[in-house]
Amino acid sequence: MTIQRLLHAVDRFSMLVGKTFSWLIVALMLLVCGEVFKRYALNAPTAWIFDANNMLYGTLFMMGGAYTLSQAGHVRGDFFYGSMKPRTQAALDLVLFAVFFLPGVVALTWSGWTYFGESLAMHEQTFNADPIPVYPFKFVIPVAGAVLLLQGIAEMVRCALCLKTGVWTPRLKDAEEMDVVGEQLAGSSYVNEADKREVIEKAHAIEQAAQQRKSDTGNGGAA
């Protein structure tokens, strides 16, 4: 297996994890809607709903970290970074990964496993009238850390390859916002065909210009 295929395999795994846990958004919506109905229509609020919401949202947030990193979607300051050459970007990213990312994520994974073990040993529960277990949620911490660590190592390999070749290796791309716009317009019955084509063409032109700008600045490094 070539290094590029290995990097894509890691990207694909991070995308699978992120998309799988993204369904928690649906669970959160149903949970909140059900609680609103029970609270205001039936006057029967649920004691554990607030804790469950926090756990689901925390799980969604943590398990989406590796997916975001695989898409180079974390927030960064591009004012100086965007004008750098790819090798300079890769060198900077590699240093930041080694100094900040690796120690932080390793500590997160290690500590998360310790917290989970302690929570499981005492069968920790929430403090409310109808307690729910906490240890399954704490198990998410080391799992999220391990997945993020795997993607981070892949990003460091990308940096090393860029230092060697002078160009960023391509990433696996997920659906872009412009693709969603195009699909929505294509299936719309309220916009005529000429306007659909015009808007979709303009959307693709904007996307291509953005991609070209990314290529020109060598975008593709770490968060």
Side-chain angles (χ1 to χ4, degrees), residues 130-144:
D130 297 315
I132 57 177
V134 176
Y135 51 89
F137 172 65
K138 287 194 174 181
F139 180 65
V140 173
I141 301 175
V143 173

Side-chain angles (χ1 to χ4, degrees), residues 180-193 195-196 200:
V180 177
V181 172
E183 289 181 4
Q184 290 176 339
L185 284 172
S188 174
S189 59
Y190 299 99
V191 184
N192 61 55
E193 293 300 324
D195 289 339
K196 285 182 186 179
I200 292 174

Side-chain angles (χ1 to χ4, degrees), residues 66-198:
Y67 168 82
T68 307
L69 184 57
S70 73
Q71 298 296 303
H74 287 290
V75 176
R76 68 155 83 244
D78 280 336
F79 184 74
F80 294 107
Y81 183 90
S83 61
M84 296 176 181
K85 295 181 179 180
R87 278 197 173 95
T88 307
Q89 291 177 335
L92 177 61
D93 285 344
L94 194 57
V95 170
L96 294 178
F97 267 118
V99 175
F100 295 105
F101 178 88
L102 280 182
V105 177
V106 169
L108 170 70
T109 307
W110 182 269
S111 299
W113 181 256
T114 302
Y115 294 151
F116 164 68
E118 294 173 350
S119 180
L120 178 62
M122 67 177 70
H123 288 81
E124 184 179 6
Q125 296 180 328
T126 57
F127 295 96
N128 53 49
D130 297 315
I132 57 177
V134 176
Y135 51 89
F137 172 65
K138 287 194 174 181
F139 180 65
V140 173
I141 301 175
V143 173
V147 177
L148 185 59
L149 181 62
L150 177 63
Q151 184 63 47
I153 293 173
E155 296 302 316
M156 295 181 72
V157 173
R158 277 194 171 90
C159 293
L161 290 177
C162 184
L163 286 173
K164 181 179 179 180
T165 63
V167 295
W168 287 106
T169 58
R171 295 176 178 272
L172 283 182
K173 289 297 181 181
D174 199 3
E176 300 288 343
E177 187 173 355
M178 292 299 180
D179 297 330
V180 177
V181 172
E183 289 181 4
Q184 290 176 339
L185 284 172
S188 174
S189 59
Y190 299 99
V191 184
N192 61 55
E193 293 300 324
D195 289 339
K196 285 182 186 179
R197 288 194 297 269
E198 182 180 357

Side-chain angles (χ1 to χ4, degrees), residues 37-51:
F37 176 78
K38 286 186 62 181
R39 180 180 294 269
Y40 294 103
L42 305 180
N43 194 27
T46 307
W48 50 265
I49 199 72
F50 181 75
D51 293 323

Side-chain angles (χ1 to χ4, degrees), residues 5-26:
R5 291 180 62 186
L6 184 61
L7 291 176
H8 281 181
V10 176
D11 288 346
R12 194 173 291 108
F13 175 70
S14 296
M15 290 171 64
L16 176 62
V17 171
K19 289 183 176 181
T20 300
F21 281 89
S22 68
W23 286 98
L24 288 179
I25 296 175
V26 178

